[in-house]
Amino acid sequence: MPDPHLTDPHLTEVGWTASALRLAGRFEPGGAVPEIELLLHEQGAGEQLRVPAGTAVRDGTVTFEAEVDVASIVGGRPLPGGLWDVDLVIGVPPSRSVVPLGHAPGMDASPQRRFLPGSVTVIAYFDTDGALKIDVGGRPHSAGSARADETNWNERRAEIIVAGHLDLREISMPISGTLLLSQSRSDRTFEVIAMLEERPGRLCYTAAVPVTRAFIDDPLPRGTWDVSLCLGFSGMHRELRLLAPDEPVDVQVWRRLRHVRVTSSAAPAPLTITVGRA
């Protein structure tokens, strides 16, 4: 846990110089000036990297600066692909504190992008909790969950319509949306384009999942499918597990010369769509 005597460690500057991410910040230690460094922690594999930080003190406030050279940070090799938390380590064991790095009010907190050799995208950004992250490679990463507003049956087109919204105060406007359907016991996936619409304070999405139209679209195969929304930004992707709305879908459809039941789950369960089971 952070030391309660530390006062708001935060960043005052984030920017790129070639392949080096330059970070500057400040905090009030509330006592003797401690040792500090940056800690990069990869969320998947758990790998950790330490980066030295330079400090200065004025009127009881510690300012610090550090550079994260993403092209050579690992013994001359680039920062590995993945999603990295960037924390500030203050003090030494056993009393050290590891503090997520947010940003000062009014600072430009928009995502900042660079490319590694081979056109690998690296983006420094602040997540919905305000903490600094570095995304290398732009692979899809979980961003939590969100409840869908509704699931409806479009009888004319034999589709399940999944619709909902997200708070735009918590995310930047994405450039693409995809409804991802997956089966937990296999590697099977099914993808549908989600239409995105920006409205005041919110991002609305709508996706149509075909279940019978074999001659127009490949229909959703039989089985039970978990439903997520993948949002694509400039160089990174975030997956939100969708939670079911109050009213489910439960219909019988004519599919390949036989009747098949199509259902969806209801709140408070995660959203699933089932084809061909009772």
Side-chain angles (χ1 to χ4, degrees):
M1 295 291 292
D3 187 328
H5 297 293
L6 301 174
T7 304
D8 296 330
H10 58 265
L11 292 166
T12 56
E13 180 183 353
V14 177
W16 290 99
T17 299
S19 62
L21 181 65
R22 296 179 294 101
L23 305 175
R26 59 187 295 168
F27 68 98
E28 297 177 16
V33 178
E35 296 182 20
I36 69 169
E37 64 181 356
L38 295 186
L39 178 67
L40 275 62
H41 181 266
E42 203 277 309
Q43 291 188 1
E47 183 176 357
Q48 294 186 351
L49 298 170
R50 299 183 181 277
V51 178
T55 61
V57 183
R58 183 175 181 180
D59 297 330
T61 297
V62 176
T63 59
F64 61 89
E65 295 184 355
E67 285 194 353
V68 180
D69 193 337
V70 296
S72 61
I73 190 172
V74 186
R77 291 178 288 111
L79 187 65
L83 185 60
W84 296 80
D85 297 322
V86 183
D87 298 325
L88 187 68
V89 179
I90 304 174
V92 295
S95 60
R96 75 172 189 168
S97 299
V98 179
V99 184
L101 277 174
H103 61 83
M107 192 191 95
D108 182 5
S110 58
Q112 300 195 41
R113 181 175 59 177
R114 278 294 185 273
F115 294 99
L116 292 175
S119 298
V120 176
T121 306
V122 181
I123 296 180
Y125 73 100
F126 293 93
D127 68 5
T128 56
D129 294 325
L132 181 65
K133 312 284 186 184
I134 300 177
D135 185 320
V136 182
R139 297 195 302 265
H141 295 285
S142 174
S145 61
R147 188 167 303 283
D149 293 336
E150 58 183 354
T151 51
N152 293 316
W153 176 246
N154 184 331
E155 184 172 1
R156 182 178 67 86
R157 296 179 59 85
E159 298 171 334
I160 291 181
I161 307 299
V162 179
H165 74 277
L166 303 172
D167 192 338
L168 266 181
R169 291 173 298 181
E170 297 181 355
I171 64 169
S172 301
M173 181 64 188
I175 59 175
S176 66
T178 306
L179 202 69
L180 300 177
L181 297 100
S182 60
Q183 293 185 315
S184 56
R185 296 183 180 180
S186 74
D187 295 330
R188 301 174 75 191
T189 60
F190 189 92
E191 298 185 4
V192 177
I193 294 174
M195 304 302 295
L196 304 178
E197 181 182 359
E198 186 175 3
R199 296 179 184 174
R202 61 171 51 188
L203 168 70
C204 298
Y205 63 88
T206 305
V209 182
V211 296
T212 69
R213 303 195 320 273
F215 297 106
I216 302 174
D217 294 307
D218 290 332
L220 185 65
R222 287 175 175 265
T224 296
W225 299 84
D226 301 326
V227 185
S228 299
L229 178 68
C230 182
L231 298 175
F233 301 86
S234 180
M236 60 184 183
H237 297 82
R238 295 294 175 264
E239 264 184 46
L240 290 160
R241 182 70 170 93
L242 293 185
L243 305 178
D246 292 331
E247 297 296 327
V249 169
D250 190 343
V251 296
Q252 293 281 344
V253 300
W254 189 252
R255 171 167 158 154
R256 297 192 175 111
L257 305 180
R258 66 178 62 185
H259 279 100
V260 174
R261 188 182 182 191
V262 178
T263 62
S264 67
S265 57
L271 179 58
T272 60
I273 296 175
T274 300
V275 178
R277 296 180 183 177

